[in-house]
Amino acid sequence: MRLFHVSEDPNVEIFHPRLPRRAELNPNVGLVWSLTEPALLNWLFPRECPRVGYRVCENMTVEDEARFFASGARHVVAIEHAWHERQQNAVLHVYEFDPKNFYHDKTAGFPVSQHSETPIGMVTYMDLYGELFKRGAEVRLVDNLWPLRDAVFNSSLTAWSFCKMANAKPRV
């Protein structure tokens, strides 16, 4: 399994565990967070960009498949129109980790390590839309993310990600 971390910083030599901000995680245990390759598509965006990402999953209903994947895409990420230019101009650095110290934390929802981690490689992406398209993602630009977020949350989809929604436009 390949594990990654996406950053706007091109000079990270070592990732040190950080105490989590999420209330459901132990506030005394520092973690280095990572992403699997399928989840990487949800993170090829500027850090603060609000987004709704979801992908085909085994247990979704036929109705939800038709509703959310009518284009034939197997992974969809939506951002608001206001973030298009920042997405178009962003440069991201994708660091790869040796997975030996990582374990999947069900509460965190990601592979994490409690050890300082030195990346085994790094790739810089300057065309984020191109990377997303090359990897088979459909990118949707919407005026407001909340209706889509609520529809996905209340559907049979289980492979979804709602990132930085505090930065989204207010609910309509």
Side-chain angles (χ1 to χ4, degrees):
M1 169 175 54
R2 296 179 72 193
L3 298 178
F4 304 94
H5 185 96
V6 179
S7 177
E8 293 175 351
D9 183 348
N11 299 308
V12 181
E13 293 182 13
I14 189 163
F15 289 84
H16 297 287
R18 293 185 183 182
L19 295 177
R21 296 181 200 163
R22 291 173 43 187
E24 69 272 20
L25 296 171
N26 184 337
N28 302 311
V29 177
L31 301 171
V32 173
W33 298 70
S34 70
L35 304 164
T36 61
E37 208 153 5
L40 183 61
L41 292 173
N42 296 327
W43 297 89
L44 293 178
F45 295 86
R47 181 176 179 82
E48 297 303 319
C49 177
R51 54 207 180 269
V52 171
Y54 55 92
R55 62 183 184 264
V56 169
C57 52
E58 290 179 18
N59 52 343
M60 69 182 169
T61 64
V62 172
E63 295 80 15
D64 281 343
E65 182 175 8
R67 180 178 178 197
F68 293 106
F69 302 98
S71 69
R74 304 200 43 86
H75 195 120
V76 176
V77 184
I79 63 173
E80 292 175 337
H81 294 117
W83 283 87
H84 165 67
E85 190 172 332
R86 283 175 268 191
Q87 171 69 8
Q88 195 168 27
N89 296 319
V91 174
L92 294 178
H93 310 280
V94 179
Y95 294 89
E96 186 169 358
F97 293 124
D98 180 335
K100 71 179 176 190
N101 293 326
F102 287 84
Y103 60 94
H104 185 81
D105 185 293
K106 288 185 182 186
T107 303
F110 294 94
V112 296
S113 171
Q114 295 179 23
H115 305 279
S116 291
E117 297 290 342
T118 302
I120 59 173
M122 190 264 292
V123 176
T124 299
Y125 294 129
M126 297 180 2
D127 176 8
L128 300 181
Y129 282 123
E131 281 303 315
L132 289 159
F133 299 150
K134 184 169 46 175
R135 295 165 185 264
E138 176 182 330
V139 179
R140 296 181 184 169
L141 299 176
V142 299
D143 184 55
N144 189 295
L145 284 172
W146 288 103
L148 178 60
R149 181 262 181 218
D150 293 345
V152 170
F153 184 77
N154 292 309
S155 74
S156 63
L157 301 181
T158 56
W160 47 258
S161 175
F162 309 134
C163 301
K164 301 294 182 177
M165 292 300 290
N167 298 337
K169 285 183 175 181
R171 287 182 183 271
V172 288

